[in-house]
Amino acid sequence: MIPTTQVDEAQFTEVAERAGHEIGDGVRLAQACILEEILGAVFGTITLWYLVSSIAGLA
């Protein structure tokens, strides 16, 4: 015998209400910070590649 569970399904109006909220200042700050982190990671990767290739070129 398979147990059954009852699942509450979201209505379309509930989904529309949740999707219509505005983005807060904290979320915008977090988005800006993650963009800066991505740029820093790209710069760090390029720098590391340059250093490794320069040292390899000396050998």
Side-chain angles (χ1 to χ4, degrees):
M1 179 174 220
I2 300 173
T4 59
T5 57
Q6 184 176 358
V7 177
D8 294 331
E9 294 182 9
Q11 300 295 325
F12 179 73
T13 55
E14 294 174 6
V15 174
E17 288 175 2
R18 290 183 185 174
H21 65 84
E22 293 184 16
I23 296 175
D25 291 337
V27 174
R28 291 181 191 186
L29 178 62
Q31 289 173 345
C33 288
I34 194 121
L35 286 176
E36 290 179 11
E37 291 293 327
I38 290 171
L39 291 175
V42 169
F43 180 74
T45 303
I46 292 170
T47 304
L48 186 62
W49 175 82
Y50 177 75
L51 288 172
V52 170
S53 64
S54 295
I55 292 172
L58 292 174

